[in-house]
Amino acid sequence: MVVVRSRKKSEYLEALHQTDLKVGPVPGDGAHAETNEIRPFLKYFNDLVATEIYNDVLFVSEKNENVWWYDGERITFRTPNYTKILNAMRTEPTLTLADMKEITGISIAAIQKLLNQLIQKKYVERGGKEGSWRVFLTQ
């Protein structure tokens, strides 16, 4: 079984569509298709596996505090300020912006801007009973 992450779903569906155009929409036809008939899906799958393995090896072998892992992808932040904020949130999930400023030495305006980006990309969220931070990235 192949698990396709939602961010790659459109690529997956397009590869299947292109393959169906050659093979036909009946699943049984695809089961008996020749390699040249399923080439769009094979290309997608090979690219997917190669990218996943490449990112896995890079992540495991790289020693950089600004490199994180999220949903099967290697994330590299341009500034160490993201790492400072994320580490503070992981250590103390109930931090306020003032607490973050105290711990990281980053201005509240800069923290708010970085937090907005982290939230927008779904790397973190605030919730729970106490308004705790949840960090979905791993380092």
Side-chain angles (χ1 to χ4, degrees), residues 34-137:
E34 299 290 325
T35 303
N36 64 337
E37 294 174 306
I38 62 170
R39 194 164 311 285
F41 186 76
L42 285 176
K43 180 182 180 338
Y44 163 80
F45 187 77
N46 286 334
D47 291 347
L48 174 73
V49 170
T51 301
E52 291 285 330
I53 290 172
Y54 175 77
N55 283 334
D56 290 349
V57 169
L58 255 180
F59 181 73
V60 170
S61 63
E62 192 168 28
K63 302 293 183 228
N64 183 337
E65 68 181 23
N66 293 326
V67 176
W68 293 69
W69 190 259
Y70 175 74
D71 192 24
E73 279 191 8
R74 187 176 148 271
I75 308 298
T76 305
F77 293 112
R78 290 177 278 142
T79 171
N81 288 346
Y82 284 105
T83 297
K84 289 177 185 177
I85 291 169
L86 289 165
N87 284 331
M89 289 170 28
R90 286 192 325 181
T91 305
E92 297 181 47
T94 58
L95 290 175
T96 64
L97 291 178
D99 295 334
M100 284 186 206
K101 177 182 188 260
E102 185 70 30
I103 292 169
T104 64
I106 304 168
S107 72
I108 289 181
I111 290 171
Q112 188 62 61
K113 181 179 176 183
L114 297 173
L115 279 176
N116 288 342
Q117 292 172 5
L118 292 169
I119 291 167
Q120 179 185 11
K121 293 184 182 210
K122 301 189 187 312
Y123 296 160
V124 300
E125 74 177 18
R126 188 141 203 183
K129 293 183 243 179
E130 305 157 354
S132 298
W133 288 105
R134 292 184 63 205
V135 177
F136 299 108
L137 293 156

